Amino acid sequence: MLKRIHRIGRSVVAVLAGLLLAGCGARVEEFGGPTMGSRYSLKYVVEPGGPGRAQLQQVLEAILAEVDGQMSTYRGDSWVARFNALPAGACAAMSVPVQELVGFGTRLSDDSGGAFDLTVEPLMNLWGFGPQSRGERVPGTVEIEQVRRLVGHQHLRVDGAQLCKDAAVQLDFDSIAAGYTVDRVAAQLEALGLRSYLLDITGELKVRGRKPDGSSWRVAIETPREDRLEAERVLELDGYGVSTSGDYRKYFTADGRRYSHTFDPRSGAPVEHDLASVTVVDGSALRADGLSTLLMVLGAQRGLAFAEERGIAALFIRRQAEGFQAQASTAFHALPTAR
């Protein structure tokens, strides 16, 4: 299954207090199941004449299966696994979803000076976080430099509907696949006539409409604690995707140093800064997904500057000696919060 490697410690929780029934038969229902090494869930308002649970679940799970079959790094028969096995100089035909994700990843890489990269899987494996790793360890400088030669969007080339590699690079869509899937599923749900829902796929969210009592769906952003759940902010959203990247549940320590699973492709090593998590809220769950990873790599200071320059709604939570400190971009401050 497609698993969340880059950011297993997701810190977004939907808060759905008081799911009250309303008139005209409207009510909230929910279903979910396993996907991508985690879970998905859909909470939605049932209305007369709207789509039923069986239809919604069939459509949703068909998209999940399609994405898994194309983008999983844990399946030897997936498109990305077959592409990764190709030698330097080879090409492979791309599906439309793969074309969209490669194009999106390339734009994020260009915008950030290489802080975002879809070809970091060899580094993940080297340090012990990837699907082909053999245990967590701190590699030497020579090893890192050797593997870095196989990392970089500059080694990918699009030729019509084909993707070609100039070096033996390996793609890994885990930093954006779930956000992409959320957008795909949300669009299909709305095409079926669903008007109010909260969709969660491995922690990536999309929110639309209102609950039967007229109140907003609420989304809580956790303080990135390891010992207990604690809400840092609670937002009331409609029409937004939400994504959080964090380093506080997937890491290892060696010789007193902490090594997280968030990698800087430019150095070939895990990031070393005090940023514990980043949450991005955007109309596109795909964009929120990719940007949360990018900002996590940049760190709080450079990440906040990047967000301000581009009008990104982002909340940065830094790890301090006395606890945690939150910093929000101007666009994030403008979002509606729960009273």
Side-chain angles (χ1 to χ4, degrees):
M1 301 180 73
L2 184 65
K3 296 189 178 181
R4 306 300 296 167
I5 301 170
H6 294 204
R7 297 161 300 134
I8 290 178
R10 297 229 169 246
S11 54
V12 174
V13 176
V15 178
L16 300 165
L19 298 183
L20 303 177
L21 300 184
C24 302
R27 66 187 185 279
V28 172
E29 289 195 357
E30 176 182 3
F31 64 85
T35 188
M36 301 182 187
S38 183
R39 294 190 62 80
Y40 81 87
S41 69
L42 176 66
K43 299 176 176 68
Y44 63 102
V45 175
V46 179
E47 298 181 88
R53 169 174 173 162
Q55 183 182 20
L56 293 171
Q57 190 162 5
Q58 180 181 25
V59 168
L60 194 160
E61 293 187 350
I63 295 174
L64 292 176
E66 176 192 324
V67 172
D68 189 60
Q70 292 188 30
M71 302 173 192
S72 173
T73 55
Y74 285 80
R75 290 178 48 167
D77 63 342
S78 71
W79 180 91
V80 72
R82 295 194 301 272
F83 179 82
N84 288 349
L86 294 175
C91 299
M94 292 186 293
S95 66
V96 171
V98 171
Q99 291 181 50
E100 292 178 5
L101 292 191
V102 169
F104 180 75
T106 299
R107 291 191 295 275
L108 281 189
S109 181
D110 292 342
D111 289 346
S112 63
F116 183 91
D117 202 295
L118 293 176
T119 67
V120 296
E121 185 171 305
L123 289 171
M124 303 289 287
N125 291 330
L126 179 65
W127 285 82
F129 294 108
Q132 307 302 322
S133 62
R134 298 182 179 180
E136 297 164 344
R137 68 188 186 93
V138 180
T141 303
V142 174
E143 287 181 282
I144 293 173
E145 288 306 312
Q146 288 176 338
V147 173
R148 281 188 64 205
R149 297 170 189 166
L150 303 178
V151 173
H153 270 265
Q154 70 272 16
H155 299 304
L156 296 174
R157 177 172 51 85
V158 175
D159 184 3
Q162 288 193 317
L163 183 65
C164 306
K165 55 169 76 175
D166 299 327
V169 295
Q170 297 181 39
L171 278 171
D172 185 339
F173 292 119
D174 284 357
S175 59
I176 54 176
Y180 165 82
T181 307
V182 167
D183 283 343
R184 278 274 309 273
V185 170
Q188 190 59 44
L189 295 179
E190 292 177 25
L192 292 173
L194 198 64
R195 298 193 301 174
S196 182
Y197 60 85
L198 191 154
L199 173 65
D200 179 338
I201 299 178
T202 73
E204 306 293 341
L205 305 181
K206 191 69 174 283
V207 183
R208 177 76 67 186
R210 291 181 174 269
K211 291 181 286 184
D213 63 355
S215 63
S216 301
W217 297 101
R218 291 185 174 188
V219 174
I221 300 170
E222 290 179 23
T223 299
R225 303 181 62 95
E226 299 178 40
D227 56 345
R228 66 178 184 270
L229 295 178
E230 183 178 290
E232 173 65 36
R233 304 284 175 91
V234 179
L235 304 176
E236 295 187 344
L237 301 176
D238 181 1
Y240 286 100
V242 185
S243 175
T244 295
S245 293
D247 73 347
Y248 59 102
R249 289 180 186 152
K250 186 65 173 179
Y251 64 91
F252 69 91
T253 58
D255 297 326
R257 295 179 64 180
R258 175 191 178 103
Y259 298 94
S260 82
H261 68 306
T262 302
F263 274 74
D264 188 334
R266 301 163 298 183
S267 67
V271 297
E272 294 190 76
H273 50 55
D274 63 0
L275 188 55
S277 72
V278 183
T279 296
V280 174
V281 180
D282 191 270
S284 162
L286 168 61
R287 182 172 156 81
D289 199 1
L291 285 172
S292 65
T293 298
L294 187 160
L295 297 176
M296 190 70 200
V297 172
L298 291 180
Q301 185 174 356
R302 294 176 57 215
L304 182 57
F306 187 94
E308 292 289 9
E309 290 171 3
R310 293 161 176 79
I312 298 167
L315 177 69
F316 301 80
I317 301 181
R318 304 171 68 174
R319 188 178 286 105
Q320 304 285 288
E322 66 278 7
F324 295 94
Q325 179 188 51
Q327 293 179 287
S329 67
T330 301
F332 190 93
H333 276 303
L335 295 171
T337 56
R339 296 183 177 86

